[in-house]
Amino acid sequence: MVKRQSLKNREFGYELSGVEHKLIFDNDEMGFVRFDGRSRRLFYLDPSPFLPTPKREFYIIADGSVPKPNNNDLIKVTSFETERVVKGTFDNLVNIDVRYVHAWEKINPKKILHRKVMDQEEYVNFFKHPFNRADEKIDSISQCLAMCSVSSNAIGINEKGGIDSGIIAKKSGWDSFLSLQKLVPGEFKSAKSPYFYSSSEVEKKINPLGSMEVNLSILMPKETFVHVPIVFDAEMRPKSAYSADLSFEIPFVRAHLLDALMFQPEITQKAEKCLTDRIYEMTETFTNSPNFLYKQDLGDAAPKLGSSIARMNFSNEVSVDNVREGFDIWMDMFAHASKFQKSNLSPRDIFRLPKEAAQLYLQLEDNFGIDMVISMTDVETMSLLTPFELSNAIAALRSAGALYSPRIDFIKLLAFKV
């Protein structure tokens, strides 16, 4: 079981992100600004927005000509004067260094990120744990899960960042998704967190006022506009086969996530035209679909997905390649969802069938349609199932009332509800 350690009380070095490790052990007078209460003159320099500094020091801007930094800015200060003061109660007095700031400059976190906890491929591979590695669908699903996990900063006039996803899965797939969500720190599950993550089986309106980024994951959404569907249509592994590996890797993956959240990428001028083109293409693709399985947010999706890809690459800019990659991931997931859009069955109906039976039904429906007599020779030629799997799939569909056999060596597909 994953131990939910508070971000403010991490005991081991491997729980620190690369930026946190660098700022604690290698860099003086550099960190993320945290003002002392309502003061705009007194502040601490933390190793990250998620971890208070362990150093007994704070900074003062006494010179009116020195501009004030923003909260959570990563800065390097220049100070020439230090004063030591004693603070605390009589039985718990501590020495604190007060440093007077003469100048400061904003720092790009990428310049100090020389110690990556893991590379991007390792991060994406974490999201493959619940799936059978032989299934070819897992690459696009894991890439989409990884992209959504790092959230997105607010783009343009968006009030909030974050990515809303529609999880299209049966109960076992939803349970696997929740097991992956254990990488999200407990603090981020609170509506008071600047980075808010919520996973729900029920659609409900959530708008945390204090959050900069809101990430909603909803099982089978009907009314909520989402940025991307995540379809769990790959073969799943039993949780017992991967839960130990998941628990072992979570501290490292969580540290990598914290590093990603420190980046606030902005769209480059070169990426703007590409982004506009992708929004048009996404709109055309979705609106030309015959049936809408879910409601798609068309205006925010492409910018936010591009921003998320930039974060995964620890970049302060959203490039043309980032926009294209985010769009390609969306297209892959939309293609996964399209097989449900084309079917007379709802995803819930399909997921209630055995895997081989659902696969066969969708193939037959796509190639021959409903109420059409199909020869078993055509079925055997088209199907990717083994003879044993095909026999079991036909038996399951027949039992469910999804097909019947009007003549020897012929079957007819029926519209039905499980």
Side-chain angles (χ1 to χ4, degrees):
M1 181 177 291
V2 178
K3 182 181 178 183
R4 291 198 173 277
Q5 184 86 355
S6 166
L7 289 179
K8 294 183 179 180
N9 184 28
R10 284 174 273 164
E11 301 173 1
F12 305 104
Y14 60 79
E15 296 177 296
L16 297 175
S17 77
V19 169
E20 290 171 339
H21 191 278
K22 186 73 175 176
L23 292 178
I24 290 174
F25 297 107
D26 295 339
N27 288 75
D28 291 325
E29 300 197 332
M30 184 186 296
F32 291 83
V33 174
R34 174 170 53 91
F35 288 104
D36 187 14
R38 295 183 179 181
S39 173
R40 296 289 295 174
R41 296 175 57 251
L42 309 179
F43 60 88
Y44 299 90
L45 289 181
D46 293 330
S48 84
F50 321 109
L51 184 66
T53 178
K55 301 174 183 178
R56 292 176 176 173
E57 62 186 19
F58 66 88
Y59 295 81
I60 294 181
I61 297 179
D63 188 343
S65 64
V66 178
K68 311 297 189 297
N70 295 317
N71 202 45
N72 284 339
D73 276 353
L74 174 58
I75 66 172
K76 180 176 178 59
V77 304
T78 301
S79 64
F80 303 120
E81 304 168 41
T82 302
E83 178 183 0
R84 177 157 292 184
V85 299
V86 179
K87 296 187 71 174
T89 58
F90 181 76
D91 57 347
N92 186 29
L93 297 174
V94 294
N95 292 322
I96 297 180
D97 289 335
V98 181
R99 300 181 184 274
Y100 291 86
V101 179
H102 288 262
W104 60 270
E105 62 176 322
K106 201 166 180 179
I107 300 296
N108 180 350
K110 193 164 188 174
K111 290 184 177 180
I112 61 172
L113 194 57
H114 304 303
R115 173 191 174 269
K116 286 188 178 181
V117 179
M118 54 176 51
D119 60 34
Q120 185 173 330
E121 183 178 356
E122 290 174 313
Y123 186 74
V124 172
N125 282 341
F126 169 81
F127 296 92
K128 294 181 179 180
H129 279 303
F131 306 105
N132 185 331
R133 294 299 177 105
D135 196 313
E136 61 183 12
K137 304 184 190 78
I138 69 171
D139 284 338
S140 56
I141 301 173
S142 59
Q143 286 172 351
C144 190
L145 287 165
M147 177 181 67
C148 291
S149 72
V150 298
S151 184
S152 166
N153 57 305
I155 299 293
I157 62 172
N158 290 332
E159 293 182 5
K160 296 185 186 296
I163 296 177
D164 297 338
S165 56
I167 310 301
I168 300 173
K170 57 184 176 181
K171 185 63 167 64
S172 61
W174 175 250
D175 290 342
S176 296
F177 173 75
L178 293 181
S179 69
L180 293 172
Q181 289 300 97
K182 291 178 181 177
L183 79 93
V184 177
E187 290 92 331
F188 293 177
K189 304 292 181 67
S190 167
K192 297 179 181 179
S193 170
Y195 304 91
F196 177 59
Y197 290 73
S198 172
S199 304
S200 175
E201 296 184 36
V202 217
E203 294 184 75
K204 51 189 176 182
K205 290 186 177 180
I206 301 178
N207 185 26
L209 298 178
S211 299
M212 299 184 301
E213 299 177 15
V214 178
N215 299 273
L216 306 181
S217 301
I218 304 168
L219 179 64
M220 303 290 193
K222 295 295 183 185
E223 300 301 325
T224 305
F225 284 83
V226 300
H227 299 113
V228 63
I230 306 180
V231 187
F232 277 62
D233 57 345
E235 184 178 345
M236 309 296 295
R237 301 166 66 199
K239 194 174 291 186
S240 58
Y242 65 85
S243 57
D245 291 338
L246 208 68
S247 296
F248 175 78
E249 290 182 25
I250 277 179
F252 305 99
V253 178
R254 183 177 293 163
H256 187 87
L257 169 64
L258 296 181
D259 272 336
L261 291 178
M262 295 181 202
F263 289 84
Q264 306 295 320
E266 297 182 359
I267 297 171
T268 63
Q269 289 186 349
K270 288 184 179 179
E272 284 183 9
K273 184 180 185 307
C274 178
L275 188 56
T276 303
D277 292 342
R278 291 303 179 271
I279 292 174
Y280 281 130
E281 191 171 348
M282 183 180 289
T283 302
E284 184 178 359
T285 301
F286 186 80
T287 54
N288 286 340
S289 177
N291 298 301
F292 296 152
L293 176 65
Y294 67 97
K295 291 186 176 181
Q296 174 70 47
D297 185 319
L298 293 167
D300 279 347
K304 286 191 171 184
L305 300 184
S307 169
S308 177
I309 294 296
R311 267 190 173 172
M312 286 181 64
N313 288 280
F314 294 165
S315 175
N316 287 307
E317 294 183 339
V318 181
S319 67
V320 170
D321 288 343
N322 297 150
V323 172
R324 288 173 176 165
E325 185 176 350
F327 176 78
D328 288 344
I329 292 174
W330 179 86
M331 283 292 288
D332 283 342
M333 281 294 98
F334 185 77
H336 283 229
S338 292
K339 66 183 181 184
F340 300 127
Q341 294 174 354
K342 295 174 184 176
S343 178
N344 75 95
L345 298 180
S346 72
R348 291 184 187 275
D349 291 332
I350 293 174
F351 283 135
R352 288 191 186 104
L353 290 169
K355 179 192 171 187
E356 288 79 12
Q359 177 183 332
L360 180 63
Y361 187 94
L362 293 171
Q363 284 180 320
L364 293 175
E365 185 183 26
D366 188 44
N367 285 276
F368 302 102
I370 302 297
D371 294 328
M372 297 294 294
V373 176
I374 312 164
S375 74
M376 280 302 300
T377 302
D378 288 339
V379 173
E380 291 166 356
T381 302
M382 177 211 66
S383 173
L384 301 176
L385 302 175
T386 66
F388 178 75
E389 290 173 335
L390 181 60
S391 176
N392 285 342
I394 290 175
L397 292 174
R398 186 172 57 242
S399 298
L403 62 78
Y404 82 106
S405 178
R407 297 187 298 277
I408 295 177
D409 291 334
F410 288 88
I411 62 172
K412 178 186 281 191
L413 206 62
L414 304 175
F416 82 114
K417 297 295 179 185
V418 179

